[in-house]
Amino acid sequence: MTVIALTCPSWAGELPPTLYGVTVHPVPRRPAKADVDALITGAERVVVAGEDADLAAVALRLLRTDRLASVALAYLPSLPDSAVAATWRLPTSPVAAAELARHGEPDRVPLVRDDNGGLLLGRGELRPLRGVVYFDDQLVLRGQAGRLVVPPLAPVGVDVRVSGVGLLRRVRAAHGRAVQIGCLAAVAVSDGVAHPRPVTRWTWYKHTEDLRLVRGAV
């Protein structure tokens, strides 16, 4: 099996010994087409050492180059509070993460896209929020809320929690294939990265093809 590792700026130091012998390529933060596509040609497993947004950027290149079915994606989180690690129960210890990345089995997990060309692998947020939120055909919110949180959810696609609703500051939750938001200008955040402009419409939805994420037992 051909394995390569992409190390992003947030990863400090060398990779753990389990990954010795793996070809390592330093790449920029949130690597793009010119940084990734040539490196992943012929790879069967790509290990990303970095932040959640770095992993999402590499997953986007797998999508754009039609490699979702042929390449497994493994993750070494550089931050202990990684939302991707929490969502998919991945280890954050470098040694344990490297062991899983090298020897673990890929599982198919929902690949969540947005209508602005990005991906969501760990956690999405909109805040503050005043508008209308539909989850598939279910009305989740009409009015104001403190924030909306969306993580991927297997196998259906996405989960959603709208918090700070009404006088009692309630939490509303739902899950399904897609969440659609129409609102006053709000900040959309995907995997820790804010969209460069306030948005009045936003959608997160399950892609037709899954991501092969390495998270099975070693």
Side-chain angles (χ1 to χ4, degrees):
M1 178 172 60
T2 305
V3 183
I4 67 165
L6 307 179
T7 56
C8 301
S10 64
W11 183 266
E14 297 182 353
L15 296 177
T18 306
L19 292 172
Y20 285 177
V22 171
T23 302
V24 178
H25 301 281
V27 294
R29 190 177 183 219
R30 302 202 298 274
K33 176 180 179 179
D35 309 307
V36 174
D37 286 14
L39 300 179
I40 63 177
T41 300
E44 298 169 271
R45 177 168 301 199
V46 176
V47 181
V48 179
E51 300 178 359
D52 291 355
D54 301 326
L55 185 72
V58 176
L60 182 62
R61 297 317 311 159
L62 297 181
L63 169 66
R64 294 280 187 252
T65 56
D66 294 323
R67 289 186 170 97
L68 290 174
S70 60
V71 178
L73 193 60
Y75 187 33
L76 272 64
S78 58
L79 301 176
D81 60 350
S82 161
V84 171
T87 297
W88 300 116
R89 299 180 182 177
L90 303 177
T92 56
S93 157
V95 173
E99 182 72 16
L100 179 65
R102 186 66 182 268
H103 301 296
E105 294 296 325
D107 284 344
R108 296 187 180 275
V109 302
L111 185 65
V112 177
R113 304 178 67 177
D114 64 52
D115 52 358
N116 282 265
L119 295 183
L120 174 66
L121 298 190
R123 179 186 176 98
E125 293 187 44
L126 253 75
R127 58 177 189 262
L129 184 62
R130 185 177 182 86
V132 178
V133 177
Y134 275 92
F135 214 101
D136 294 342
D137 58 355
Q138 176 186 353
L139 178 65
V140 177
L141 175 73
R142 186 185 299 275
Q144 186 169 346
R147 66 176 177 174
L148 176 145
V149 176
V150 177
L153 178 68
V156 293
V158 285
D159 193 13
V160 65
R161 287 185 175 271
V162 184
S163 60
V165 181
L167 295 177
L168 299 178
R169 317 306 289 172
R170 292 171 296 178
V171 175
R172 293 177 182 169
H175 60 267
R177 182 182 176 276
V179 57
Q180 301 176 66
I181 304 111
C183 59
L184 298 180
V187 177
V189 180
S190 293
D191 293 324
V193 178
H195 190 68
R197 297 173 301 279
V199 300
T200 57
R201 293 184 180 276
W202 194 266
T203 301
W204 277 298
Y205 63 97
K206 182 181 184 292
H207 183 53
T208 53
E209 191 173 1
D210 290 335
L211 177 69
R212 296 177 66 232
L213 183 66
V214 177
R215 69 184 193 116
V218 175

